[in-house]
Amino acid sequence: MIDKTGDDSLDIETLIRENAQAVAEYESSENVESKQQDLQDRQALRRVAGLSTELQDVSDAEYRQLRLEKVVLVGVWTQGSALDAENSLKELAALAETAGSQVMEGLIQRRDKADSATFIGSGKVTEVREAVVATGADTVVCDGELSPAQLRTLEQKVKVKVIDRTALILDIFAQHAKSREGKAQVELAQMSYMLPRLRGWGDSLSRQAGGIGGRGPGETKIETDRRRINDKMAKLRREIKEMKVSRDTKRNERRRNNIPSVAIAGYTNAGKSSLLNHLTGAGVLVENALFATLDPTVRKTQTHDGRIYTLVDTVGFVRHLPHQLVEAFKSTLEEVSEADLIVHLVDGAHPDPMEQIRAVREVIDDIGGGEIMEIIAINKADVAKPEVVMELLRRESNAYAISARTGYGVDNLIKAIEAALPKPKVEINVVIPFNRGDLVSAVHERGEIISQEYLPEGTKLHAMVDGALARKIELL
């Protein structure tokens, strides 16, 4: 690791030299381009312009179908610097491109607060309409969560579909979810978002539904839709609760065996899956896109002295992460809130890495993980500006510069992780018979060996172990 107390110019030169060496070794190694079938499958599936990608679900009411083909981005700058507003809009552009769209233009308006009727002022609405006509865009994407009234009013004025940041993120999650639990969580989040934004038949919403499935001739069509969605959400919550039992069982089993857990958390596209692959060979999908992987991956690994611990790759965070997603993914995010250690991965090549750190810590605090010990890993040091990396190392006391792609600095990070893992507290000094090799193996996996000696009557161990294992050994 770079010495943070030394001369800054010397530190930067050392960082540049070590990065260059790591990149050269990486590029000269074999099999740089690993075969990832998931990535090939995803790249083979692309949106076709003019075709809907949304399934007909619980009703034939007019729901908001995302047609992200050509989009115009609109942001409101209410606080912070102009650079902050530009970075937020660039992130929205990356989200839109990840969802399969082509960004045509981006507009930002400086206001004290968003307009209660149209999100942006009336003059800017006219400008957005002109941009839509000039570029041939079919969708306007707003950088914020809009109320149903704002969506409807703005859509009437710009004459094309309008969606907000939350709907965009939900659409990306729907595209990338693979597991049964992930799909159910995304569907629940989508319905939570959709419920207050249902569209009826015209402004009056008075078309009545009769026949089977209705509550009588007085129930309107939109009331039927709302009731069916509430029923579907209740069903999804039950399914997620049932699937949570399996995750809790596995987590409790790890706790019972005193296996420490390390959660890799961080901003989306910071390189969490790349780091997990480098540390464990997990083979998780790696793609230069936002929210490329949603389903958490748990892999077992061990310290240099043989202690077992688990690494968990979690869903990526983003600024203004929709509360519907936080609520729906609560069982998944528990992997972070109940970990023994959090490795907070930061994209060192991002224009504003400190904002990433703030956004991730905000979500971690929301899910109850604010008191867990944290190690900052500044990733992409091979392509980041050395002065930015040095500034992060100065600001964060427990930080390490790494490159998950080339392997630079990962050994130092592993040493830091191993040093931060909870230590066994019970000291034993026993001779274990040779026919109880299972206990010797358990001490190696779950304890810390101080000394080991082979005697005629068995294996003499001086070690630190957890209480449960100590009690088992006492029963010999």
Side-chain angles (χ1 to χ4, degrees):
M1 187 187 74
I2 301 298
D3 181 9
K4 302 177 192 177
T5 61
D7 180 73
D8 284 353
S9 61
L10 180 60
D11 287 346
I12 292 177
E13 289 175 4
T14 305
L15 185 67
I16 294 173
R17 187 169 58 254
E18 291 179 353
N19 278 344
Q21 182 180 353
V23 171
E25 291 174 355
Y26 171 78
E27 290 178 346
S28 63
S29 64
E30 296 181 356
N31 298 323
V32 173
E33 297 294 334
S34 60
K35 294 182 180 178
Q36 298 187 65
Q37 189 61 43
D38 286 345
L39 181 56
Q40 293 174 3
D41 291 345
R42 181 174 293 176
Q43 290 174 341
L45 297 173
R46 285 289 180 258
R47 292 179 184 269
V48 179
L51 298 181
S52 171
T53 60
E54 186 175 82
L55 296 177
Q56 294 288 335
D57 197 358
V58 295
S59 162
D60 56 0
E62 182 197 348
Y63 292 128
R64 312 188 61 77
Q65 297 184 359
L66 298 184
R67 295 183 303 133
L68 301 177
E69 294 160 8
K70 293 181 179 180
V71 302
V72 171
L73 309 180
V74 178
V76 173
W77 168 24
T78 58
Q79 59 184 5
S81 65
L83 182 61
D84 293 335
E86 290 176 6
N87 286 337
S88 181
L89 205 67
K90 287 178 182 176
E91 183 175 276
L92 186 68
L95 287 166
E97 288 169 357
T98 300
S101 67
Q102 180 184 0
V103 177
M104 307 305 294
E105 193 169 343
L107 304 171
I108 300 176
Q109 182 178 31
R110 181 72 173 94
R111 294 178 62 92
D112 292 334
K113 61 179 182 179
D115 188 272
S116 59
T118 55
F119 183 65
I120 52 178
S122 57
K124 186 63 70 171
V125 170
T126 303
E127 190 177 334
V128 170
R129 173 58 187 165
E130 291 172 354
V132 166
V133 173
T135 59
D138 56 62
T139 306
V140 171
V141 184
C142 295
D143 191 13
E145 183 167 344
L146 275 62
S147 69
Q150 286 174 320
L151 281 170
R152 185 168 56 251
T153 305
L154 187 57
E155 199 168 76
Q156 289 172 351
K157 292 183 179 295
V158 298
K159 310 298 183 186
V160 293
K161 189 75 70 178
V162 176
I163 65 168
D164 58 16
R165 183 188 183 93
T166 300
L168 183 59
I169 294 175
L170 289 172
D171 185 64
I172 295 171
F173 270 58
Q175 292 181 47
H176 292 183
K178 288 176 57 181
S179 69
R180 178 167 169 258
E181 183 179 15
K183 290 177 180 178
Q185 289 168 329
V186 171
E187 188 176 0
L188 177 60
Q190 285 180 314
M191 289 192 167
S192 299
Y193 173 82
M194 181 197 303
L195 190 58
R197 295 169 174 82
L198 279 181
R199 293 287 188 91
W201 295 85
D203 293 333
S204 64
L205 308 181
S206 60
R207 177 167 174 166
Q208 296 181 348
I212 298 173
R215 291 270 177 93
E219 186 179 37
T220 61
K221 185 70 174 64
I222 197 167
E223 288 171 344
T224 306
D225 298 338
R226 195 171 284 127
R227 175 166 55 83
R228 289 177 177 173
I229 287 180
N230 279 320
D231 292 343
K232 178 69 172 177
M233 288 172 64
K235 181 183 177 184
L236 286 170
R237 288 193 181 99
R238 287 195 300 270
E239 291 177 357
I240 292 172
K241 189 175 181 180
E242 291 169 1
M243 288 182 275
K244 182 177 180 291
V245 173
S246 173
R247 189 182 297 279
D248 288 344
T249 301
K250 293 175 183 176
R251 191 186 300 122
N252 291 334
E253 182 68 17
R254 294 197 297 267
R255 268 205 219 105
R256 189 174 67 83
N257 290 321
N258 289 287
I259 298 176
S261 174
V262 178
I264 303 175
Y267 216 74
T268 178
N269 205 31
K272 297 180 297 299
S273 298
S274 296
L275 180 60
L276 182 70
N277 288 345
H278 192 96
L279 294 177
T280 66
V284 179
L285 170 70
V286 174
E287 183 180 6
N288 183 23
L290 305 187
F291 302 114
T293 50
L294 300 181
D295 305 312
T297 303
V298 181
R299 289 292 182 270
K300 183 173 72 172
T301 187
Q302 62 182 25
T303 63
H304 286 93
D305 58 2
R307 287 183 62 203
I308 298 293
Y309 68 98
T310 60
L311 282 165
V312 185
D313 175 23
T314 60
V315 62
F317 301 148
V318 71
R319 72 179 87 190
H320 311 308
L321 189 68
H323 67 274
Q324 295 96 338
L325 282 173
V326 175
E327 182 66 27
F329 277 74
K330 189 166 286 184
S331 63
T332 299
L333 294 174
E334 282 177 0
E335 297 288 356
V336 178
S337 62
E338 299 192 15
D340 297 292
L341 173 69
I342 295 175
V343 176
H344 181 169
L345 208 62
V346 181
D347 183 354
H350 190 271
D352 191 2
M354 288 307 301
E355 172 60 23
Q356 285 197 350
I357 293 175
R358 186 206 61 76
V360 171
R361 283 176 173 164
E362 183 180 330
V363 177
I364 291 175
D365 288 342
D366 287 345
I367 60 178
E371 302 299 320
I372 301 173
M373 183 176 178
E374 177 189 60
I375 293 176
I376 297 289
I378 306 165
N379 193 24
K380 305 183 184 178
D382 54 323
V383 293
K385 294 179 180 178
E387 58 270 22
V388 173
V389 175
M390 292 307 306
E391 177 64 21
L392 289 170
L393 289 172
R394 277 193 297 268
R395 288 194 181 194
E396 300 292 335
S397 59
N398 196 16
Y400 298 83
I402 69 165
S403 170
R405 185 176 72 99
T406 65
Y408 163 76
V410 174
D411 288 342
N412 287 331
L413 177 63
I414 292 174
K415 290 176 184 176
I417 292 172
E418 293 180 3
L421 291 175
K423 303 288 184 184
K425 298 180 179 178
V426 181
E427 184 177 5
I428 60 168
N429 200 337
V430 297
V431 176
I432 300 178
F434 288 123
N435 64 348
R436 292 307 307 271
D438 59 316
L439 290 178
V440 177
S441 177
V443 172
H444 277 276
E445 290 183 355
R446 294 159 50 185
E448 188 175 345
I449 303 293
I450 299 173
S451 67
Q452 179 173 303
E453 184 181 355
Y454 295 104
L455 302 177
E457 59 272 24
T459 305
K460 183 179 180 181
L461 287 177
H462 183 200
M464 301 295 293
V465 298
D466 58 76
L469 185 54
R471 286 190 292 273
K472 276 187 181 180
I473 294 173
E474 286 176 3
L475 295 176
L476 281 174

